[in-house]
Amino acid sequence: EADIYQTPRYLVIGTGKKITLECSQTMGHDKMYWYQQDPGMELHLIHYSYGVNSTEKGDLSSESTVSRIRTEHFPLTLESARPSHTSQYLCASVSVSYGYTFGSGTRLTVV
Amino acid sequence: AQRVTQPEKLLSVFKGAPVELKCNYSYSGSPELFWYVQYSRQRLQLLLRHISRESIKGFTADLNKGETSFHLKKPFAQEEDSAMYYCALSGNTDKLIFGTGTRLQVFP
């Protein structure tokens, strides 16, 4: 089924660990986005990509990095997790016809 | 600066009552406005967009450029409307700018 998938849904990890949040879509969309959302706050764009080998930083400064080696895959990496990275991370892909499709999100807790 | 403001964090109504979730925006050009909804334990999904001029699940929203508003309305709220609602703006790119969201609680 054409959709966008994020794994894991929940992650609790210790300070200093390297983590990768996975995001994959099977819709063939070129444009993909990562948003960060703290509880009770708005979603902030942290990274986006308009296609393979294209990545840009969003409006909110983030210590995370992303890659886009394949159209369907847009992982986000934190080299050294800190408690300040605790948040929800939402991935989305965009089509002209249907607009944004969001994944279920990854709720990250760094202890 | 581009900004979306949702002044109410929580809106509580009884079933059958009218609902209006407020959204004001700041944008110098011609924006595209959206309402997204997130039901409990579900993902964020598009409810409606102003260019469609549709009524989805009984909800409507009219873009008022003079007041820079895009309020979401429903004449008779239902319990299943309880959810988190986000207003969002898109300018001359695909990037969405979100408001802080309003939680709608509909009591029986």
Side-chain angles (χ1 to χ4, degrees), chain B residues 9-88:
Chain B
K9 279 194 173 295
L10 174 65
L11 183 62
S12 299
V13 300
F14 285 102
K15 176 182 172 182
V19 168
E20 182 178 67
L21 287 82
K22 297 189 187 304
C23 172
N24 288 90
Y25 67 90
S26 173
Y27 183 72
S28 57
S30 294
E32 189 170 353
L33 275 296
F34 304 83
W35 276 99
Y36 281 82
V37 61
Q38 188 168 27
Y39 301 102
S40 179
R41 285 187 283 277
Q42 295 187 28
R43 64 176 74 180
L44 195 62
Q45 58 187 284
L46 178 66
L47 179 62
L48 53 81
R49 53 201 303 182
H50 89 270
I51 60 171
S52 301
R53 294 182 166 272
E54 296 173 302
S55 174
I56 305 294
K57 298 184 179 182
F59 285 98
T60 59
D62 291 317
L63 179 61
N64 186 323
K65 292 187 177 180
E67 295 183 358
T68 59
S69 68
F70 189 56
H71 303 327
L72 183 68
K73 300 177 184 179
K74 185 170 183 176
F76 307 104
Q78 303 299 315
E79 289 179 67
E80 56 265 30
D81 295 329
S82 295
M84 195 74 184
Y85 291 81
Y86 294 93
C87 183

Side-chain angles (χ1 to χ4, degrees), chain A residues 6-71:
Chain A
Q6 285 188 249
T7 56
R9 282 294 302 273
Y10 302 94
L11 178 62
V12 180
I13 200 161
T15 298
K17 299 290 187 184
K18 177 181 178 179
I19 58 169
T20 297
L21 309 185
E22 301 289 348
C23 176
S24 295
Q25 50 98 0
T26 57
M27 297 171 284
H29 295 164
D30 287 323
K31 296 180 180 179
M32 296 187 73
Y33 298 81
W34 276 102
Y35 283 84
Q36 182 176 341
Q37 183 183 28
D38 293 328
M41 304 296 288
E42 63 263 55
L43 285 76
H44 288 288
L45 180 67
I46 52 174
H47 297 284
Y48 61 98
S49 168
Y50 286 164
V52 172
N53 294 326
S54 154
T55 61
E56 302 286 345
K57 289 189 177 294
D59 302 322
L60 180 69
S61 176
S62 174
E63 293 167 347
S64 58
T65 59
V66 293
S67 62
R68 191 86 183 276
I69 299 172
R70 303 197 316 267
T71 298

Side-chain angles (χ1 to χ4, degrees), chain A residues 67-104:
Chain A
S67 62
R68 191 86 183 276
I69 299 172
R70 303 197 316 267
T71 298
E72 61 271 21
H73 197 210
F74 190 40
L76 181 146
T77 298
L78 280 164
E79 291 293 332
S80 180
R82 293 207 300 269
S84 60
H85 297 139
T86 295
S87 189
Q88 176 164 251
Y89 294 85
L90 290 172
C91 182
S93 69
V94 177
S95 75
V96 173
S97 305
Y98 297 106
Y100 275 63
T101 302
F102 281 91
S104 299

